[in-house]
Amino acid sequence: MSIRTVTWCAAAVAVGLMAAAPAAHADEDPTTVPPRTAISLRMPGGFAWGTPNEHETRSALSMSKLYIVDYALRHGDGSPEDRALSERMIRDSDDGAATQLAGKYPQAIEATAAEYGLPATHGGSDWGRSTTSTADITDFLAAKQRTDAGSPIFEWMAGASNTAADGTPQNWGTAQLPGVQGSKWGWSDVGAPEVASASFGTGFSVAAHTYGTPADQSADVLDALPALILRLAGAY
């Protein structure tokens, strides 16, 4: 058993402890996360932690597909086509499907942001130019876990394809954390590398955005979160 595995065994205990703890926010990060990466973590009892830049408005990349799909599933016309497009957007990060569904529901991102109270989330001239923050993504997923745990979004994240529709591997960042049950990834196809990931597990949601490569994000996430959760476990 590796040191990291032992760390996360203790982290699982921490989650259970915090389920009964009062709402709190960790103001100090015992690790040093490079500013290239923003990370947010939400746990039971209203517990919230994030890097100092977790509320920073950044490109939503394919994280915006979560917002579009949620709108289509709950406020759309209920058509089989909408559901099929939604599934492709989450499992395969299919851009063509996203363009079709966003074209049908151009208000989806802004409406979802207003409904869930996501201040950094805004639509752009098209879904690929929308914005969000890691805090908004985790708050959205945490709210879904509380109020709509049966959403197909979680099923599709849990059954995400190993390779996206465009051939990109889907395997980095928050998805590498033990305890994760499902994930969604995002990346830029132009310019400097930029990636995002968001995951959920029993009683938690987590998201990261990195101005860098998938390997950069994985390193930052795995360096930060195990140590943080051990510290929090000691606080309770």
Side-chain angles (χ1 to χ4, degrees):
M1 181 179 289
S2 68
I3 293 175
R4 182 162 290 151
T5 301
V6 173
T7 298
W8 274 90
C9 287
V13 176
V15 172
L17 288 172
M18 281 181 277
H25 191 286
D27 295 321
E28 297 179 1
D29 182 0
T31 65
T32 301
V33 179
R36 67 188 180 188
T37 294
I39 305 173
S40 297
L41 173 69
R42 302 295 184 259
M43 287 183 169
F47 184 87
W49 172 86
T51 53
N53 55 0
E54 71 164 332
H55 295 286
E56 184 176 287
T57 300
R58 298 188 175 199
S59 173
L61 304 174
S62 284
M63 296 299 105
S64 62
K65 293 170 183 171
L66 292 168
Y67 306 139
I68 298 167
V69 166
D70 185 64
Y71 182 90
L73 291 175
R74 297 189 305 110
H75 303 297
D77 62 16
S79 66
E81 179 186 30
D82 280 7
R83 188 177 179 90
L85 291 171
S86 295
E87 183 171 359
R88 285 162 50 192
M89 289 166 65
I90 303 301
R91 288 191 192 273
D92 307 321
S93 201
D94 190 312
D95 289 351
T99 297
Q100 290 184 62
L101 205 61
K104 185 174 181 179
Y105 303 113
Q107 72 278 29
I109 294 173
E110 292 287 353
T112 301
E115 181 174 358
Y116 289 92
L118 312 177
T121 300
H122 300 285
S125 56
D126 60 63
W127 67 266
R129 291 178 170 81
S130 57
T131 63
T132 194
S133 66
T134 58
D136 281 4
I137 297 167
T138 48
D139 287 341
F140 167 78
L141 290 174
K144 294 296 291 180
Q145 286 177 304
R146 290 193 308 271
T147 65
D148 190 18
S151 171
I153 289 175
F154 294 119
E155 174 188 347
W156 297 333
M157 289 176 71
S161 302
N162 292 330
T163 304
D166 69 357
T168 300
Q170 299 191 124
N171 59 359
W172 70 81
T174 59
Q176 296 190 5
L177 294 170
V180 163
Q181 297 172 348
S183 299
K184 178 74 187 78
W185 298 265
W187 56 94
S188 176
D189 294 324
V190 296
E194 184 178 352
V195 298
S197 60
S199 302
F200 74 91
T202 301
F204 75 91
S205 61
V206 59
H209 181 287
T210 301
Y211 293 119
T213 66
D216 291 334
Q217 182 168 109
S218 295
D220 292 347
V221 167
L222 292 173
D223 284 346
L225 290 179
L228 168 71
I229 293 177
L230 278 182
R231 185 178 77 86
L232 295 177
Y236 291 96

